[in-house]
C-alpha cells in the first residue's frame, strides 16, 4: 500500500562538497606544475634545436618532475597547493634542487648557466600561476564571490 506522506524535499545542490573541491584544486595544481615543467623542458630543447621532440622533452623534464613530486610529498603540498609559500616556493626549489642532483647522478649536463636558467624559468612558471590565482581569489573575495 502506498504511503500517504509526501516525500521530504531534497536540499538544493550548492556546488561541490568542500573536500572534493579541495581535492580537485590539488589535482589541477599538480597537473599545472607538471605541465609547466614539461613546457620549460620543451622550450629549452627547442631553443637548442635538439631532436627527439617527445622523448627528448621527457628526458629533460623527468628529473624536475621527480623533484616536484618529492616536494609535493615531503611538504604535503595538497593541503594548500596554490599558496605561494610554502607550496609554490617549495615546488620551485625542490624541482630545481632535486632535478639538478638527478641530472648530475645520471650523467646529464649540470652547468651554472643552466642552473640559473632553470631557477629563473621554473620560478616564473611555478610561482607565476599561483600568483595569478591569488590575485583572482582576492578579487573574487572582494566582490563577494566564494
Amino acid at each position: 500500500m502506498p504511503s500517504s506522506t509526501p516525500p521530504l524535499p531534497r536540499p538544493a545542490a550548492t556546488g561541490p562538497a568542500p573536500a572534493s573541491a579541495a581535492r580537485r584544486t590539488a589535482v589541477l595544481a599538480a597537473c599545472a606544475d607538471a605541465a609547466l615543467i614539461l613546457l620549460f623542458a620543451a622550450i629549452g630543447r627547442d631553443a637548442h634545436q635538439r631532436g627527439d621532440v617527445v622523448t627528448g622533452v621527457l628526458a629533460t623534464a623527468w628529473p624536475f618532475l621527480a623533484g616536484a613530486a618529492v616536494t609535493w610529498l615531503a611538504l604535503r603540498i595538497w593541503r594548500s597547493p596554490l599558496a605561494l609559500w610554502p607550496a609554490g616556493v617549495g615546488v620551485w626549489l625542490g624541482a630545481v634542487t632535486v632535478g639538478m642532483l638527478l641530472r648530475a647522478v645520471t650523467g646529464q649536463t649540470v652547468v651554472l648557466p643552466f642552473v640559473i636558467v632553470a631557477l629563473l624559468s621554473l620560478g616564473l612558471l611555478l610561482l607565476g600561476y599561483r600568483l595569478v590565482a591569488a590575485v583572482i581569489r582576492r578579487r573574487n573575495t572582494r566582490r563577494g564571490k566564494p
Side-chain angles (χ1 to χ4, degrees), residues 11-88:
T14 58
S20 66
R23 187 176 304 119
R24 184 176 24 154
T25 299
V27 167
L28 289 174
C31 289
D33 287 345
L36 291 169
I37 291 169
L38 288 167
L39 176 66
F40 159 74
I43 290 170
R45 291 195 65 86
D46 184 58
H48 296 285
Q49 300 173 346
R50 297 208 168 107
D52 298 329
V53 176
V54 174
T55 57
V57 168
L58 292 175
T60 300
W62 80 262
F64 301 104
L65 291 168
V70 166
T71 304
W72 266 79
L73 294 173
L75 298 181
R76 297 187 291 188
I77 300 293
W78 59 85
R79 293 182 300 171
S80 185
L82 295 178
L84 281 173
W85 176 263

